[in-house]
Amino acid sequence: MNCWKKLFSLLVVLALICSFAATSFADGAEEADLQTVEALLESREEGSLTRAAFEELLTEAGLDAENTDAYYTDTVALIIDGEEISPAKLSYCTANQFLNFMNTYGQYAVYFGMDTSGGLNGLAEQSCPFMENGTWLDYFKEQGVAALQQSIALGRVAAEEGIAISEEEAEANRQSFAGFDEVVRQYGYENADEFIAGNYGLGNTSESLLDYLLEFALAGNVYEKYEEQFSGEITAEEIKENYPSIDVRHILVMAEQDENGEFTDEAKEASRARAEEILNEWLAGEATEESFAALAEQYSEDPGSSSNGGLYTFVQPGQMVQEFNDFCFAEERQPGDSGIVYGTNGSYAGYHVMYFVGESDPEANVSARGELAVQRTSQWLYSLTENMETTVLPFYKIAGHTL
């Protein structure tokens, strides 16, 4: 799944979980001298400030360090091709990138040197191995900026082509926000907005998250429209050239393990002898693909294919164990060829009785068509964003702060 589909799927799942009720968080610091704070931020060298460092900065300047929402909602973190993005909105996109990463790689986070116990706030003090001089928060903020660039570009396409969120889709999203206060109280939050500020960034509320969700859903609709369009334009020749594949049937005869879990030479030899018996039985009969499939269903010990006549379709080079692969992709291989090959991958050892069906039908290779469509759509989207002018401003440094 490409990065946009993952993002949109995650947004939908979170929206269903987070059926927010509209309330108001803090009034913020409307009377604070935002220009003074901007100058103070500009004087700092860090790419991202921790929340504690920002509050310390406010205190030293004699400003209110508790009611800070205005710094996140009434300021501009960056400008993307003329579109002003607040720290709150960038925080939301940053949080989504973090959640998307955790959804995919969460169990391996420790191997990346990431401590997720402090949420986004904690990431501002952890070096990221993917950046030369940056933290994990910097990394996810950069990913959030990229998502915003794509959303803006797709939103403009939507405006030009008259693509819109249907009223049914918009209403479904609004309805999914009902009753979330009750849900979050079960997890120790006072209300929905406290949950949102704690997970998606200070300054964000139920209302703002609904706006973001609809914006990204519209972008997703545009992306899917073009992906479908590009998919229909992909030819069989393109699929065959980029994803060569074959169809093959086999009957697996596994060698028995001894009491130590080893495959002895005697067990392997018994497996080979049984494979030869099965091949000879097939050759003595009609020796057709259909009769081979019948024997596969009767004899094969491969649970992944025995129920469908030992058939594997759209097999690509390097997908199977070496000997299996070599049989399938030998230059001289012709439809109807048969043989016996040894195979092992650590979990089994044994012999495969082989029947080569032939090259796969490229028109039926849905997976290859989908991957090519994703590549083409991604290239198209890149062409929309590669020349976007993005200006980072001082308040960029506070995006990613959570309650």
Side-chain angles (χ1 to χ4, degrees), residues 204-351:
N204 283 316
T205 64
S206 309
E207 184 178 356
S208 67
L209 255 68
L210 177 57
D211 289 341
Y212 302 153
L213 178 61
L214 293 175
E215 177 185 330
F216 278 90
L218 175 61
N221 288 349
V222 176
Y223 186 95
E224 289 177 0
K225 174 194 172 183
Y226 273 84
E227 185 177 351
E228 182 177 351
Q229 175 181 314
F230 290 135
S231 177
E233 297 172 357
I234 293 168
T235 66
E237 288 72 23
E238 287 180 276
I239 295 174
K240 186 175 179 180
E241 179 181 354
N242 289 279
Y243 293 90
S245 62
I246 58 92
D247 297 342
V248 64
R249 293 183 186 273
H250 82 126
I251 300 170
L252 173 61
V253 181
M254 292 195 292
E256 293 185 5
Q257 292 176 296
D258 63 16
E259 61 274 11
N260 298 316
E262 302 293 333
F263 299 103
T264 65
D265 291 340
E266 292 77 8
K268 293 175 185 178
E269 177 58 28
S271 170
R272 185 194 61 77
R274 178 57 182 148
E276 288 183 350
E277 290 177 2
I278 294 172
L279 177 59
N280 289 331
E281 180 179 344
W282 176 70
L283 290 171
E286 297 178 357
T288 62
E289 181 180 353
E290 291 73 18
S291 63
F292 189 95
L295 290 179
E297 294 187 2
Q298 182 178 357
Y299 297 131
S300 182
E301 297 179 75
D302 175 19
S305 68
S306 59
S307 63
N308 68 342
L311 180 64
Y312 279 108
T313 58
F314 307 115
V315 177
Q316 297 181 34
Q319 181 178 335
M320 298 297 191
V321 295
Q322 189 63 53
E323 296 83 358
F324 196 114
N325 179 84
D326 291 346
F327 174 90
C328 293
F329 294 99
E331 290 185 10
E332 70 275 10
R333 188 63 57 227
Q334 296 294 322
D337 284 355
S338 61
I340 295 176
V341 300
Y342 177 73
T344 182
N345 65 2
S347 64
Y348 87 97
Y351 284 83

Side-chain angles (χ1 to χ4, degrees), residues 145-157:
V145 171
L148 283 163
Q149 290 171 333
Q150 294 173 347
S151 179
I152 290 170
L154 292 168
R156 289 173 178 175
V157 173

Side-chain angles (χ1 to χ4, degrees), residues 9 27 38 89 92 107 127 142 150 173 205 245 257 265 281 298 305 332 379 397:
S9 298
D27 290 334
E38 183 174 24
K89 187 170 186 178
Y92 169 77
Q107 60 181 321
S127 296
E142 285 192 0
Q150 294 173 347
N173 281 304
T205 64
S245 62
Q257 292 176 296
D265 291 340
E281 180 179 344
Q298 182 178 357
S305 68
E332 70 275 10
Q379 291 167 357
K397 297 179 180 181

